[in-house]
Structure formats: C-alpha cells, structure tokens
Amino acid sequence: MSLARRPASELPGDPAQLRLVYSHGHPAVPYEDEDTLEHWRVSIRAYHDEEEECADGCTDACQQLIDNGSEAGWLRLWRLRDNTGADRWMVADAQSGDLESIAATVLDDGEYSDAFQEIIDCPVGDLLILDRVFLARPWRGFGLGPVFAAEAIRRLSGGCCAVAAEPGMAEWPENRDEVNDADRATAKAKIAALWESIGFHAFHGGVQLLDTSLQESIDLHRARRKDLEDLSAAYRAHLEGRPALPELAVTPPASPATPVPAATRQPPAPAPEAEAEPGDGLAAAASLSDLQRKCTFSGWSPGDRAAALAVAAQATHDTDLRQLAAQVKHVHFGLRDAWTDAITFPGRLFNVHPFRENPAALGPLAGLWVYGSNLNGRYRGRSHAVGGDCQHARPLTPDTERMTLADLLDLTSFWEWNGPSCSFCHGWSGQRLTPDQHTHYLTVLAGHQR
C-alpha cells in the first residue's frame, strides 16, 4: 500500500540514499525539566555520492554535500519520562500548548489515565511524542513522511509504552484567517490517515496512540520500508529509461481467488455521486465514503470495519443513533469514534447564528436531531459533542441526550456565556444533513453572509 501520490520521476534524488541523523543534547547534570522532557531532532539529509561525478565536474560545493549533505526535512520528537519526581503535565505545559494537549489527554493526576491503560497493552514506561514531520517541497507527495516517522520511532521508542501524536495543520498561510474549520478538519484527517499507516489509532480529543508492544506497528513499519524500496526502484528505472517494476503499477491488486466469508465481506464502495457533496463534514451523502476513507489506512480488523460500515449504512435522518451505537460497541474504540464522526458532525462545524437570530429560518433543519452529554444542563459541568473530534467529546451511548435543533435553540441556558456549552466542540453534535437540509443550510448561510 504505497502512500505516494506523485510519480517517482519527479523525485529530486534516490530516496533510499537519504540518511537520518539524530541529535539530542543535555547538560551533564540535568536541571529544571531536562530530566523529564527530552527533545530529539532528526535531520533527513541528502548526500552527494563520492563515487559519482557531476556532468560538468564536481566543485567545492559537491565536497560539502559529500561531507555534510543537505537537509531534505526533519522530525521533532519528545520523550516524556516517567518516575522523575516531576509533574509530567506541568513539564509538557511549560514547553508548548501542543505537548500540553497530548499530556492532558493521556494523563490523569500525573498518572496514565484509565482510558490510556485500557487500550495500551503494557502501560508502564515513558511516552514518546511525535510532534512534527517536515519535508522540503521537492520531497513531498511521495509518501515519505510515514516512512521516516516509523524509522525514527523504531530507534527512539525503547522503554516507551506508547507513542502519541496529534495531527493538525503542518503549515499555515501568512494570513491564518484564510483557513476555515473545514480546511483544518481536512488537513487533520489526511495526516491522521498517514500516521494510521504506521500503527497509530485514534484515542481521544484528536490524539492518536501507537502501542509499542504490538506486532502491528512492526508489520506496518516493514510495509513502509517496502514502499521506500519500491519508490527507489521506480526512480532508478526512470533514470535508466526502463519501465518500473510490475509491482509499482497503479492498478489495484487482483481480487483473491478464494471467496471472502460473508461475515467479513465489506459493503461496496459508495457510488460516485456520494463524493459530489461538499467536503464540509455536514452532508450525510458523504458518510460512507468518509468512513471508508478512514478505514483504508487503518489497522482495524476487516471484521470490525465491515461491521462499522454496515451499521453506518443503516443511518437515516430520523434514526436514533444511540440505538445504532450499541451495534458497534464491540469494535475498536478508535473505529467507534470514526463511525460516530462519519454519521454526525460537531456543533463547531455548523453556523447557528442565522438560526438563533431568526428561528423561523430553520425550515427542514427544525427537526434535525442533535446529541450531547448535557444538553439540558442537568449535570455539573458542560455539555460535549460525541465522537473523536475534540478532547472533550464523549462516546455515543444510550446515556447521550437527544433533542431536535429547534428544541436546542429554545434552551436559552445552553447558549449563555456560563451555560453548559463547551467552547471547543460547541457542546453538541448533529445528525448529518439530508440533501434537502444541506441545501437549505447553505442557502441560509449564503444569505446571512451578504
């Protein structure tokens, strides 16, 4: 399963000849947080082959490239050490908001949370954090990010019970206001899929975890190495003017000769028209394709994926999703979140302002079913959305509250500054919109923005 999108002929060099150079420094006697949080920088470097002569003859610059190479990219990782006597959450918070977000998700009162211990096979040891992977533009689009991330994790994860990552925007335009929620969600989903290809699984609040004790990550690491070898072979074939090896063809592999048991057979791919809906995370027409896309690069079992897709196909505009959730209770928790995200949307993606100002504008949206953990404000604390969209989101269970969007807009207490609405996920999730609802929503939104 190659993750490459660009042809090997566009590579600036042989990717198999790149080298990863690891650097970490610390004082002989660590001070402050040095003993608890280790920073590792991995430089991805391209070197000039000392036995290769340039067409116009080598220069002093070539010798520099022979000796030191040039940087094609880099990775940033952190090791959060256990049992140092320091509060790991405070140490992470002092370093950056990104590290604090991860630490807050996996830790509870200084120890690994119950949810973390439930899914990590041996939750004892340090935590490695994959913070950033950067590639220079000429090297992007060939599926190299997961390859190098897997290599770095293999060498730095000794003594770590898990590796954590939180996918997000890798680069921002000069004007950040140009990036909307849909852009961020798309970027997050793409990067999450890349990390899933090396063994990460969704945890909570956008954080992904890789269990270092599982064979899965070893097998996926070998698969990514094979991807690199195949890409290198295709590049060399291009230089020599010969066809690439057969296994690099873009045609999909042949179907297995033996029939697939009905219990594990996956539903057919969604019709092309399902992809025609705007990728705003709101349209029900994209539910199956969104879930299928997340399943493609995941390590979830075929049986779990087939079950989740089959249950997702049962959802209609008036289905009580709490009842459907009981049918996927047995699948991997990351897949449960992906299933929920595919048939619902978090309130933060939906602009309620036009409808709060004029409830009569709801039209077909009045009967839209919404879900949350505390919509009525009966319990202490705020209401949160369902699924894996934000660290505050909750799983969809029979205890999840449900009401129509019209009823929710009538709850003045929900929208007050100190009401139960979570400021991150906006406190609720909606059932994905039917074509009529989606068209009406876009029409009202367009009129409101004039």
Side-chain angles (χ1 to χ4, degrees):
M1 181 199 69
S2 174
L3 300 176
R5 294 294 181 266
R6 295 170 61 187
S9 59
E10 296 181 8
L11 278 162
D14 187 346
Q17 298 302 314
L18 294 171
R19 294 184 64 82
L20 275 62
V21 180
Y22 297 73
S23 60
H24 165 69
H26 65 86
V29 179
Y31 60 90
E32 294 182 347
D33 299 333
E34 293 273 352
D35 200 35
T36 303
L37 188 64
E38 293 179 1
H39 172 234
W40 284 88
R41 189 179 192 277
V42 184
S43 179
I44 305 167
R45 307 192 71 79
Y47 288 83
H48 189 305
D49 187 341
E50 57 186 339
E51 297 182 359
E52 181 181 333
E53 184 74 16
C54 294
D56 298 326
C58 287
T59 65
D60 290 342
C62 294
Q63 188 59 47
Q64 287 290 329
L65 291 175
I66 291 173
D67 295 338
N68 303 313
S70 63
E71 190 164 72
W74 50 267
L75 301 91
R76 183 169 62 215
L77 300 99
W78 302 85
R79 189 186 186 105
L80 194 57
R81 288 191 172 273
D82 195 8
N83 298 322
T84 63
D87 186 318
R88 289 182 287 174
W89 175 83
M90 293 184 64
V91 171
D93 184 42
Q95 179 60 45
S96 75
D98 290 340
L99 295 189
E100 185 279 333
S101 177
I102 292 175
T105 303
V106 304
L107 299 175
D108 184 9
D109 196 22
E111 303 295 334
Y112 289 124
S113 68
D114 291 342
F116 180 93
Q117 295 187 50
E118 179 183 346
I119 67 157
I120 298 301
D121 191 53
C122 184
V124 178
D126 301 339
L127 179 73
L128 186 65
I129 299 174
L130 178 63
D131 187 16
R132 182 79 184 276
V133 177
F134 173 83
L135 288 171
R137 290 190 181 278
W139 292 97
R140 296 180 191 174
F142 301 102
L144 294 173
V147 174
F148 298 138
E151 292 293 345
I153 287 170
R154 180 180 183 273
R155 285 158 177 79
L156 296 177
S157 61
C160 296
C161 61
V163 188
E166 186 173 18
M169 292 286 291
E171 288 188 321
W172 295 81
E174 291 185 9
N175 182 7
R176 290 199 175 200
D177 292 338
E178 295 176 356
V179 180
N180 57 35
D181 287 342
D183 294 331
R184 284 190 287 269
T186 299
K188 175 182 173 181
K190 287 181 178 178
I191 296 175
L194 293 178
W195 298 160
E196 287 171 0
S197 75
I198 58 175
F200 282 90
H201 295 285
F203 180 50
H204 293 301
V207 173
Q208 294 177 294
L209 292 179
L210 181 153
D211 190 332
T212 57
S213 67
L214 299 183
Q215 180 67 30
E216 176 195 43
S217 60
I218 298 174
D219 294 339
L220 289 173
H221 176 215
R222 290 171 178 164
R224 301 293 76 76
R225 275 189 174 176
K226 180 63 165 56
D227 289 341
L228 180 61
E229 293 169 359
D230 289 348
L231 187 63
S232 174
Y235 173 75
R236 294 194 302 271
H238 161 70
L239 292 183
E240 297 168 7
R242 55 184 173 82
L245 296 177
E247 60 266 26
L248 294 174
V250 296
T251 52
S255 302
T258 55
V260 180
T264 61
R265 187 178 298 124
Q266 296 192 18
E273 55 267 23
E275 293 280 338
E277 293 287 347
D280 55 5
L282 300 174
S287 291
L288 285 179
S289 58
D290 285 352
L291 182 57
Q292 181 68 60
R293 191 176 298 111
K294 289 188 176 182
C295 288
T296 300
F297 298 121
S298 76
W300 301 319
S301 71
D304 278 2
R305 283 181 284 173
L309 285 163
V311 176
Q314 299 174 33
T316 66
H317 72 283
D318 58 354
T319 303
D320 188 337
L321 300 182
R322 297 172 299 181
Q323 297 177 3
L324 287 187
Q327 299 182 41
V328 294
K329 187 169 65 173
H330 66 283
V331 306
H332 187 278
F333 72 92
L335 179 53
R336 290 201 303 270
D337 277 349
W339 175 85
T340 304
D341 292 342
I343 59 176
T344 66
F345 60 86
R348 66 174 184 80
L349 293 184
F350 188 95
N351 187 350
V352 297
H353 297 297
F355 307 104
R356 290 193 62 200
E357 295 170 2
N358 179 23
L362 279 170
L365 292 168
L368 172 69
W369 290 107
V370 300
Y371 301 80
S373 64
N374 190 18
L375 301 177
N376 289 289
R378 296 192 186 99
Y379 312 110
R380 184 176 180 180
R382 298 191 178 279
S383 179
H384 303 290
V386 297
D389 179 70
C390 116
Q391 69 183 63
H392 301 280
R394 299 288 190 262
L396 184 61
T397 71
D399 295 326
T400 302
E401 293 184 0
R402 178 182 187 243
M403 64 178 63
T404 65
L405 181 58
D407 289 337
L408 184 67
L409 293 179
D410 279 341
L411 290 178
T412 304
S413 60
F414 185 86
W415 307 101
E416 291 176 349
W417 178 254
N418 292 317
S421 175
C422 169
S423 60
F424 290 93
C425 60
H426 292 191
W428 61 281
S429 292
Q431 209 144 331
R432 284 212 179 181
L433 307 178
T434 65
D436 288 345
Q437 290 173 332
H438 193 256
T439 300
H440 180 75
Y441 171 73
L442 294 179
T443 300
V444 172
L445 197 62
H448 186 260
Q449 292 173 343
R450 290 196 187 102

